[in-house]
Amino acid sequence: MRTKALYFPYINLPNDSWLYLMLLYWDQLSSIVPSEYLHDPEKLSPHMTTLMRAGLVNPLTPTTYIPDMKHFGKPFVDFVQHRVRKRYLRNSVTTQKTLIHIEKLGPVADELVRLELARPTTYPWYEMDHWVANAFMSYLASVLGSLPNVESAPVTNDESCFHLLAGYERSPYSVGSRERQLVLEAVFPFPKQDLSLKKLLKFRQKYGEEMARFRNKIEGLCVDLSDISDQNTREEKRHLTVQEMKQDIEYVSARMQETWREVVLLDVLPILGIGGSVIASLQGDQMLGAGLGALSLSSALCQFFKRNRDRELLLNHPMAYGALLRRQWPSL
């Protein structure tokens, strides 16, 4: 199961709530970035530069991979020719044009020009119909993401990118991608405010294991949903499972509040080795002194370790990450 994601269709990631959710879900988020942008970072958006410097987004240069891929463009060119010949895209063709960098296209550029589906403009850009660009970027992200040394799930905030290439509703991958989006939105809505990238990075580093268990649960559900051909049945299955997940998050959240209250004196005694001299100094409060005097070190240790075991059990729950997210950002 993939733990990383590859963003498309653009170079710069969006500066919105969708991005924050992706950063809080995947171990690593990459974007397809031409090499010239790495040599001249000012061509990137300020937000993209900040993400890369913080280590939250990894730039993936297409020229590192495409030249070594035999017959890289043939499946896509065959796809385009088939769609044009069958006129499947009659209602999709518009006057809207999109630019794609030559490093992303590789040998496909000449083929698209030959088919009169693209034309070179100011180097290093090629202009083409929007549907061709979307289909190609879906293809490129899927191919690159499948490479063993990339192994990333293609993700996008623009669902139209999947439609032309995936055959609309019945591609399992297209269905799985949409189901992931719907499930995540339902389990914890997108943040309504900008999040501190420093705080986000610290949270991911601290709760990486919990994030992995949570993601495995979600991805497993998306695989199951992709196998359901009937849309109504799929929606009902998603609804019931999401409700169950929400209940689990609420349960874990409630137990965390009980277990993770302010550290009480009982927890501190075994750690600090507080003995009778300190207890004696507290005799001014007779009730407190009596309680502490009756407390044995062995019972304190037992209760301390039991609290730790309870916390570990909670953190091992697949939905613990959702509870931690809500604890960290209550507006989620």
Side-chain angles (χ1 to χ4, degrees):
M1 190 171 293
R2 297 179 185 181
T3 63
K4 301 179 291 185
L6 177 60
Y7 169 75
F8 74 101
Y10 305 110
I11 296 172
N12 296 303
L13 276 85
N15 186 7
D16 59 16
S17 56
W18 178 87
L19 169 64
Y20 294 123
L21 184 56
M22 293 297 100
L23 292 174
L24 288 167
Y25 185 74
W26 297 102
D27 286 351
Q28 183 184 82
L29 185 60
S30 299
S31 179
I32 305 171
V33 181
S35 57
E36 67 170 290
Y37 282 72
L38 301 182
H39 300 311
D40 188 4
E42 291 186 359
K43 292 183 177 180
L44 296 167
S45 70
H47 181 63
M48 181 68 171
T49 302
T50 300
L51 291 171
M52 288 171 52
R53 287 177 177 172
L56 290 169
V57 172
N58 175 57
L60 190 153
T61 54
T63 50
T64 303
Y65 306 97
I66 293 178
D68 296 329
M69 298 167 64
K70 293 182 179 180
H71 312 296
F72 162 71
K74 188 178 186 307
F76 179 75
V77 173
D78 291 344
F79 155 78
V80 171
Q81 286 181 308
H82 178 71
R83 290 302 189 270
V84 171
R85 184 169 58 251
K86 295 296 185 180
R87 299 182 180 273
Y88 287 167
L89 301 169
R90 179 181 299 173
N91 295 329
S92 300
V93 177
T94 66
T95 57
Q96 184 179 359
K97 301 294 183 180
T98 299
L99 296 176
I100 292 188
H101 197 282
I102 181 60
E103 285 190 17
K104 294 183 178 182
L105 291 167
V108 174
D110 291 338
E111 291 297 320
L112 293 180
V113 171
R114 180 181 62 82
L115 294 171
E116 298 183 349
L117 292 173
R119 69 178 187 87
T121 59
T122 304
Y123 187 84
W125 300 99
Y126 278 72
E127 182 184 73
M128 62 196 71
D129 285 344
H130 191 59
W131 70 264
V132 178
N134 277 353
F136 175 75
M137 289 307 303
S138 298
Y139 173 80
L140 177 62
S142 299
V143 170
L144 292 179
S146 68
L147 297 176
N149 51 346
V150 178
E151 203 172 358
S152 300
V155 295
T156 181
N157 58 337
D158 184 354
E159 290 188 8
S160 65
C161 289
F162 287 116
H163 289 169
L164 295 172
L165 184 62
Y168 293 88
E169 294 298 327
R170 285 314 322 138
S171 164
Y173 179 78
S174 180
V175 173
S177 178
R178 282 198 302 279
E179 290 299 330
R180 180 194 300 124
Q181 186 94 348
L182 292 170
V183 170
L184 289 178
E185 288 179 5
V187 172
F188 48 91
F190 288 176
K192 298 299 189 297
Q193 78 285 350
D194 289 341
L195 303 184
S196 163
L197 293 180
K198 183 177 180 180
K199 191 174 183 179
L200 186 150
L201 181 60
K202 184 178 180 180
F203 183 85
R204 283 187 2 153
Q205 292 172 340
K206 183 176 182 179
Y207 296 114
E209 293 183 2
E210 290 77 14
M211 180 172 67
R213 282 191 285 269
F214 176 81
R215 185 177 56 243
N216 289 342
K217 180 75 172 180
I218 300 293
E219 293 299 300
L221 171 61
C222 292
V223 171
D224 292 341
L225 293 173
S226 299
D227 291 335
I228 302 175
S229 58
D230 181 72
Q231 183 175 348
N232 292 332
T233 304
R234 188 167 66 245
E235 290 178 355
E236 182 178 0
K237 170 70 173 178
R238 184 203 320 128
H239 174 75
L240 292 174
T241 308
V242 163
Q243 292 306 309
E244 181 181 346
M245 288 179 172
K246 284 183 175 181
Q247 291 173 0
D248 286 345
I249 289 176
E250 292 299 331
Y251 168 77
V252 174
S253 295
R255 292 288 292 117
M256 282 180 177
Q257 289 180 358
E258 295 173 7
T259 308
W260 293 358
R261 294 183 189 278
E262 290 185 44
V263 178
V264 296
L265 189 59
L266 182 64
D267 285 335
V268 180
L269 290 176
I271 300 175
L272 300 182
I274 292 178
S277 61
V278 176
I279 294 177
S281 70
L282 298 173
Q283 292 300 321
D285 187 325
Q286 294 183 355
M287 292 183 64
L288 179 59
L292 291 173
L295 178 66
S296 69
L297 181 59
S298 60
S299 65
L301 285 169
C302 287
Q303 293 189 47
F304 174 75
F305 291 129
K306 181 180 182 301
R307 288 173 184 270
N308 282 346
R309 285 195 298 271
D310 290 344
R311 293 169 185 168
E312 290 176 3
L313 287 173
L314 286 174
L315 290 175
N316 285 329
H317 194 287
M319 291 294 104
Y321 188 67
L324 290 166
L325 281 169
R326 291 187 177 185
R327 182 182 176 90
Q328 182 70 37
W329 291 286
S331 61
L332 287 177

